Amino acid sequence: MSSNVSSEYSSYAIPNSVLKRELNLLTHPEGGYFVETDRQKEQVPSPFANGALRPLATTIHYLLTPDEPNGVFHMNKSATMHVLHQGRAEYTLITPGNPPTIETKVMGPNIHAGEVLQLLVPTGVWKMSRLLQQDLEAATSDALKDRCGCLITEVVFPGFAWEDHGFLTRDAFEELWGGAVPSEARDLVKYVKSS
């Protein structure tokens, strides 16, 4: 899959400064910015949290920018649907197993190059997102940086709860591969939470 973006697919309609201000975005503990936009009042027992009651669904806006260009690996017990609004980001997914599998997907508007407009991350999968290096390198001025990023909506179902969330640590990252991290995964360790 090519990650090149042509000008016909590179629209970034709302600058980051406007998004942060008008959407009241906060710094996210995972990296990037977010704001919760909906938390359903109806509660359902979550099959991923031993039947604990959770909202039917929760929704957030999530934004990566040149000053917050990536998140860190984390896992939600619930499934998460990501829906693109503007920009591009690469998602790296690690599915535990023997051996674990690593998959990358680019959320972006160029569907002809294999970019996706929606991305479902199921339960039990570690995920991390980051802006593409070529997009960061092309943002050579403050004005271009203000129009470089990725805005998505995340819908978590059953709804998000911090007790159903975990950050990938360095020890757990190495344990995924039984202590023998393969060469294709070694660069990913910089995206685990340091503490």
Side-chain angles (χ1 to χ4, degrees):
M1 164 179 42
S2 169
S3 61
N4 292 331
V5 66
S6 68
S7 60
E8 68 183 296
Y9 293 107
S10 63
S11 172
Y12 202 82
I14 308 170
N16 294 327
S17 56
V18 173
L19 291 170
K20 288 186 220 177
R21 182 181 66 245
E22 296 299 319
L23 298 178
N24 297 309
L25 297 174
L26 306 169
T27 302
H28 200 301
E30 297 167 0
Y33 300 93
F34 84 109
V35 65
E36 187 173 270
T37 58
D38 184 63
R39 180 170 286 270
Q40 294 290 299
K41 292 180 180 162
E42 183 179 351
Q43 301 271 312
V44 295
S46 173
F48 310 117
N50 298 320
L53 290 179
R54 298 288 183 257
L56 181 62
T58 55
T59 308
I60 67 168
H61 286 309
Y62 182 70
L63 174 69
L64 292 175
T65 65
D67 64 316
E68 285 283 333
N70 63 271
V72 294
F73 277 106
H74 61 282
M75 181 188 294
N76 292 316
K77 288 184 179 176
S78 294
T80 305
M81 177 61 79
H82 304 72
V83 181
L84 180 71
H85 293 291
Q86 66 180 29
R88 296 190 316 155
E90 179 184 81
Y91 278 74
T92 301
L93 310 175
I94 302 175
T95 303
N98 192 12
T101 58
I102 302 171
E103 180 180 12
T104 59
K105 294 277 188 185
V106 174
M107 288 199 74
N110 192 348
I111 58 175
H112 300 291
E115 296 177 359
V116 297
L117 302 173
Q118 296 179 334
L119 177 64
L120 177 64
V121 177
T123 182
V125 174
W126 295 104
K127 72 173 180 173
M128 178 275 298
S129 57
R130 61 183 166 187
L131 295 179
L132 283 81
Q133 189 61 39
Q134 68 191 60
D135 293 352
L136 289 169
E137 290 170 359
T140 56
S141 68
D142 288 343
L144 291 173
K145 288 178 183 173
D146 205 26
R147 291 189 179 270
C148 173
C150 186
L151 176 67
I152 64 167
T153 286
E154 290 188 18
V155 181
V156 179
F157 50 98
F160 179 83
W162 278 108
E163 55 268 32
D164 298 342
H165 174 280
F167 289 108
L168 186 59
T169 63
R170 185 177 184 107
D171 289 344
F173 179 81
E174 292 177 4
E175 287 173 18
L176 282 171
W177 285 275
V181 178
S183 58
E184 65 269 17
R186 288 187 193 128
D187 189 49
L188 298 175
V189 74
K190 64 185 171 191
Y191 298 106
V192 301
K193 195 154 177 84
S194 56
S195 60

